[in-house]
Amino acid sequence: MLIDCKSISKSIDEDVRRRVGNLGFSPKLVAITSKPDPSTVTYLNSQAKKAKKLGIEFEVMEGSTMDELLKVISTLANDEKVHGIFLTHPLPEEIDEFELTLRIPPEKDVEGRTPYNLGMLIYEREYLPPCTAEAAVKILESTTEIKGKDVVVIGRSITVGRPVEIMLLKKGRDATVTVCHSKTRDLPVITKRADALIVAAGRPKLVNPDMVNEGAIVIDVGINVVDDQIVGDVDPEVEKKASLTPVPGGVGRVTTSLLMEHVVRAAERLSGKNG
Ligand code: NAD
């Protein structure tokens, strides 16, 4: 069975639209990029479309050297009209992404990538959590009660695997979490134990039906291009024995909605209009 991510994203969008109306001004999101590849351009176009629909101003700024990018961030950090800033990925090799991330003010860090916002997760405070991790957790929570369940996460990146692990362990969610990565032995033995799987490895068909329990929930975060088609990390056949998020139109769709929700959240806080 496919999990209906469209209705999750729709309800986030409705909430965002209402809150934008309450603000009395258009919140502004700025994406910073450097020599964007075609997939980044596609991603930015879909952000622009969603922002427009929700009444959020959206702009893309480009820089080709560290100096240029640092200047862009500094200008945006001090611009009262800008409420959200995010860096596109991947950035060219010569660009030090961590150094740039350190300069983004945590209150405008709508992607939740700064050490401040990632550190907040350890304290069980989801001030501005990483959007993709939040999307995966939200979809899982909307599908099942996760308290005490065995959740296996495949991937340990800062973008997905690690924040997902911390968020699932949070008191109140109380999942039992196992994190696997490229050096994990006997992956199928571990995945077969799982009530739920969150897969974020960037490897098409990494998870096949033999690796999944009957009736499990499988959240496919992967976005890969194979023969000009977008595919996830999970073999679509898994849908026959488990609940599975579609790719495209699954985690990615909810992630975009949450990015916009973070922009409104930031605008509410920065303008003192958060109740
Ligand atoms: P990454 O390359 O930073 O991390 C991949 C992780 O997977 C690593 O920790 C690695 O150890 C693990 N891994 C790789 N091969 C493995 C294997 N064979 N067995 C077990 N573990 C393995 O990638 P990322 O940034 O975390 O992204 C992962 C995937 O999610 C990509 O396909 C990316 O495009 C996608 N993604 C989707 C969204 C979204 O909104 N849906 C957002 C971000 C990333």
Side-chain angles (χ1 to χ4, degrees), residues 13 17 29 41-56 58 256 260:
D13 292 351
R17 211 175 273 116
L29 171 64
V41 173
T42 310
Y43 180 66
L44 288 172
N45 288 341
S46 78
Q47 304 292 7
K49 215 167 121 192
K50 174 70 88 181
K52 195 171 176 200
K53 256 186 171 169
L54 299 177
I56 292 171
F58 181 73
T256 304
M260 301 302 153

Side-chain angles (χ1 to χ4, degrees), residues 21-60:
N22 289 345
L23 275 174
F25 62 88
S26 294
K28 183 166 177 179
L29 171 64
V30 180
I32 304 172
T33 192
S34 183
K35 301 174 190 155
D37 60 18
S39 76
T40 302
V41 173
T42 310
Y43 180 66
L44 288 172
N45 288 341
S46 78
Q47 304 292 7
K49 215 167 121 192
K50 174 70 88 181
K52 195 171 176 200
K53 256 186 171 169
L54 299 177
I56 292 171
E57 242 186 272
F58 181 73
E59 195 181 327
V60 179

Side-chain angles (χ1 to χ4, degrees), residues 132 154-157 160 181-182 200-203 206 221-224 252 255:
T132 309
I154 305 182
R156 58 178 165 182
S157 73
V160 197
H181 49 81
S182 53
R203 299 281 180 275
L206 174 66
V221 182
I223 297 182
N224 312 288
T255 300

Side-chain angles (χ1 to χ4, degrees), residues 43 89 111 113 131-133 135 153-162 179-184 187 199-204 206 211 220-225 231-233 247 250-256:
Y43 180 66
H89 318 275
E111 261 210 327
R113 277 192 86 88
C131 302
T132 309
V153 180
I154 305 182
R156 58 178 165 182
S157 73
I158 291 173
T159 315
V160 197
R162 287 183 202 211
V179 181
C180 303
H181 49 81
S182 53
K183 305 290 183 299
T184 297
L187 189 63
V199 191
R203 299 281 180 275
L206 174 66
M211 295 166 72
D220 188 355
V221 182
I223 297 182
N224 312 288
V225 179
V231 300
D233 287 351
V247 178
V251 176
R253 182 193 288 264
V254 178
T255 300
T256 304

Side-chain angles (χ1 to χ4, degrees), residues 7-270:
S7 62
I8 299 172
S9 117
K10 201 172 155 210
S11 85
I12 299 167
D13 292 351
E14 279 164 7
D15 175 55
V16 168
R17 211 175 273 116
R18 181 187 57 75
R19 285 161 62 194
V20 168
N22 289 345
L23 275 174
F25 62 88
S26 294
K28 183 166 177 179
L29 171 64
V30 180
I32 304 172
T33 192
S34 183
K35 301 174 190 155
D37 60 18
S39 76
T40 302
V41 173
T42 310
Y43 180 66
L44 288 172
N45 288 341
S46 78
Q47 304 292 7
K49 215 167 121 192
K50 174 70 88 181
K52 195 171 176 200
K53 256 186 171 169
L54 299 177
I56 292 171
E57 242 186 272
F58 181 73
E59 195 181 327
V60 179
M61 293 186 76
E62 241 187 288
S64 45
T65 63
M66 270 306 274
D67 273 355
E68 281 175 22
L69 290 163
L70 286 168
K71 269 190 202 128
V72 170
I73 294 180
S74 162
T75 306
L76 298 174
N78 293 308
D79 185 343
E80 279 181 17
K81 292 203 169 79
V82 173
H83 308 94
I85 302 171
F86 80 90
L87 287 169
T88 63
H89 318 275
L91 288 169
E93 239 171 50
E94 64 277 15
I95 302 298
D96 183 345
E97 185 179 332
F98 182 63
E99 188 56 38
L100 294 180
T101 303
L102 288 176
R103 311 295 179 98
I104 298 177
E107 62 276 15
K108 295 189 180 185
D109 168 30
V110 286
E111 261 210 327
R113 277 192 86 88
T114 57
Y116 179 88
N117 282 318
L118 288 169
M120 286 292 259
L121 296 184
I122 307 268
Y123 286 95
E124 305 199 324
R125 284 171 167 80
E126 291 170 9
Y127 179 76
L128 281 170
C131 302
T132 309
E134 190 183 17
V137 171
K138 211 174 193 46
I139 296 167
L140 183 56
E141 277 183 314
S142 76
T143 315
T144 188
E145 162 66 72
I146 55 180
K147 199 176 283 285
K149 296 257 170 75
D150 284 315
V151 183
V152 170
V153 180
I154 305 182
R156 58 178 165 182
S157 73
I158 291 173
T159 315
V160 197
R162 287 183 202 211
V164 160
E165 177 201 9
I166 300 167
M167 291 171 81
L168 289 173
L169 287 173
K170 185 181 176 188
K171 285 191 203 78
R173 290 204 184 97
D174 301 315
T176 301
V177 189
T178 306
V179 181
C180 303
H181 49 81
S182 53
K183 305 290 183 299
T184 297
R185 285 177 298 169
D186 299 331
L187 189 63
V189 174
I190 300 170
T191 57
K192 277 291 260 183
R193 279 204 324 249
D195 298 305
L197 264 177
I198 296 183
V199 191
R203 299 281 180 275
K205 292 199 178 171
L206 174 66
V207 172
N208 63 51
D210 292 340
M211 295 166 72
V212 177
N213 245 333
E214 194 78 44
I217 295 159
V218 182
I219 312 288
D220 188 355
V221 182
I223 297 182
N224 312 288
V225 179
V226 177
D227 299 332
D228 289 334
Q229 303 278 335
I230 296 201
V231 300
D233 287 351
V234 178
D235 184 335
E237 289 288 305
V238 163
E239 187 209 334
K240 291 184 181 153
K241 64 189 297 196
S243 299
L244 173 67
T245 57
V247 178
V251 176
R253 182 193 288 264
V254 178
T255 300
T256 304
S257 294
L258 285 171
L259 178 67
M260 301 302 153
E261 194 277 331
H262 288 186
V263 178
V264 181
R265 214 192 278 194
E268 287 168 344
R269 287 180 183 144
L270 289 161

